[in-house]
Amino acid sequence: PICFFEASDDQAARDRRALQRDLEHAIEADQLFLVYQPFLDIRKGRVTGFEALLRWQHPVRGLIPPSVFIPIAEESGSILEIGDWVLRKACQEAVNWTQPLTVAVNVSGAQLYNANFVQDVHKVLLETGLSPRRLEIEITETALVRDFNRALATLRRIKGFGVRIAMDDFGTGYSSLSYLRSFPFDKLKIDKSFVRDATATHGSKSIVRAVISLGKSLGMTTIAEGIETIEQLNHMRAEGCNEAQGFLLSHPVPVTEIAGKILELRNGFKPAVVRNAMAS
Ligand code: C2E
Ligand code: MG
Ligand code: MG
């Protein structure tokens, strides 16, 4: 009955506020950290970079996924401070990698529309000494909706530093095609929902094919995210997709495992059966 739902809604709202308060202290309490998921050039079979993914080790609740706390941080505005921390940390850590590969950083809409964002990116690059060519910023279509022209002006200035811009979760937002016409994205990340279905349903297969061909003709790199099976990887290779990322290739790893991942994947991805046969 109604009062049951009201009570549980109340509970959910209280929970949210409690998390919001805890999140305000997460940086100073050293509870945030980054993990890194590699992406591969499919044809060359080499790691070309790693995407930084944020994790929150809550003292009581344990590990909280970004899908839960990023929306809360966006609502309270703490995403600005958190986003700045992520960018700085990712650049700092990438400077010490064993190879000068790309580091991809997710940026939320709130950051993009913050008046200081361009300056902040510039500052972080200068202070960490990371070459701008190694930084890739991932923006979702949804972030562009609020004020398209302003977002594009910001992205143009950042691109002017030599930083690359990727469109994340491509195909899940709105009017993607007009965005592509108006801004030279460097990379299109084909959303994992299309990748998952591309080997099964005709609709997704056609969409994937169209996006790869669109990327190619616009001079944008295409990457398939969420690759979980060898069939999906083979399919994306056959379709001419440039890069791949997903649990099949590697889960996100702590920064200390980056050197090992580069070595492990240096001769291309080998399914576990092949790796084991080679080792024995
Ligand atoms: P995203 O940027 O699209 O990142 C990809 C997500 O898919 C990651 O989840 C990754 O762990 C997961 N993933 C990778 N390979 C596979 C796969 O093969 N199968 C499946 N099912 N999932 C896979 P994660 O780390 O939980 O992040 C979720 C989302 O949270 C990210 O989606 C991104 O939108 C957001 N996020 C993460 N870190 C940050 C950050 O530092 N800043 C901002 N603003 N957002 C972030
Ligand atoms: Mg991303
Ligand atoms: Mg994505």
Side-chain angles (χ1 to χ4, degrees):
I2 286 165
C3 71
F4 170 77
F5 287 111
E6 281 178 348
S8 77
D9 279 358
D10 264 17
Q11 184 56 46
R14 269 200 301 275
D15 255 31
R16 238 179 129 75
R17 278 197 303 275
L19 274 187
Q20 211 165 70
R21 271 195 310 273
D22 294 347
L23 198 50
E24 309 277 323
H25 307 289
I27 292 180
E28 61 186 57
D30 213 18
Q31 293 162 1
L32 298 183
F33 63 99
L34 295 175
V35 289
Y36 294 90
Q37 189 180 33
F39 41 91
L40 269 77
D41 180 311
I42 299 182
R43 212 171 42 83
K44 293 190 186 132
R46 278 180 188 278
V47 180
T48 51
F50 289 81
E51 177 178 5
L53 294 161
L54 185 57
R55 297 291 179 262
W56 180 18
Q57 185 67 51
H58 189 282
V60 179
R61 299 179 189 223
L63 202 58
I64 302 182
S67 52
V68 171
F69 72 83
I70 295 278
I72 294 179
E74 283 173 338
E75 202 178 271
S76 71
S78 62
I79 189 66
L80 293 181
E81 197 191 343
I82 291 172
D84 197 57
W85 181 90
V86 168
L87 183 66
R88 184 171 298 271
K89 189 75 172 178
C91 292
Q92 266 167 4
E93 293 189 327
V95 166
N96 297 316
W97 291 354
T98 49
Q99 284 189 35
L101 302 176
T102 297
V103 57
V105 176
N106 293 285
V107 164
S108 119
Q111 292 173 268
L112 192 60
Y113 294 106
N114 177 23
N116 295 327
F117 185 59
V118 176
Q119 208 181 310
D120 289 346
V121 172
H122 192 246
K123 205 167 147 208
V124 165
L125 287 169
L126 274 182
E127 289 175 7
T128 60
L130 185 83
S131 159
R133 315 229 159 255
R134 293 185 54 198
L135 179 62
E136 192 163 272
I137 280 186
E138 297 193 1
I139 301 282
T140 61
E141 290 170 75
T142 335
L144 300 176
V145 177
R146 200 171 105 196
D147 185 343
F148 183 46
N149 290 324
R150 183 159 159 208
L152 292 195
T154 302
L155 290 177
R156 280 213 177 83
R157 291 175 64 196
I158 289 170
K159 202 171 149 73
F161 300 155
V163 172
R164 287 192 306 274
I165 313 288
M167 191 185 268
D168 205 351
D169 305 340
F170 184 69
T172 59
Y174 322 82
S175 52
S176 337
L177 295 180
S178 69
Y179 295 150
L180 293 189
R181 186 182 54 192
S182 318
F183 186 80
F185 286 93
D186 297 283
K187 189 184 270 194
L188 298 180
K189 298 195 81 168
I190 305 170
D191 189 67
K192 50 178 169 286
S193 58
F194 298 111
V195 173
R196 192 192 315 122
D197 296 346
T199 47
T201 74
H202 185 67
S204 285
K205 187 181 281 182
S206 308
I207 289 172
V208 163
R209 181 168 292 173
V211 171
I212 292 171
S213 131
L214 194 63
K216 209 163 259 156
S217 59
L218 291 170
M220 299 172 185
T221 301
T222 48
I223 174 166
E225 62 173 27
I227 298 273
E228 293 183 353
T229 68
I230 193 77
E231 289 75 23
Q232 289 165 348
L233 181 64
N234 288 338
H235 180 77
M236 291 303 164
R237 178 187 287 122
E239 290 292 333
C241 190
N242 303 116
E243 298 184 339
Q245 183 178 22
F247 294 162
L248 176 74
L249 305 160
S250 170
H251 277 76
V253 296
V255 67
T256 49
E257 287 174 31
I258 285 197
K261 272 295 162 197
I262 296 172
L263 288 177
E264 181 191 317
L265 297 167
R266 74 185 176 287
N267 293 321
F269 167 74
K270 303 267 185 312
V273 273
V274 178
R275 280 202 305 271
N276 295 340
M278 282 180 357
S280 60

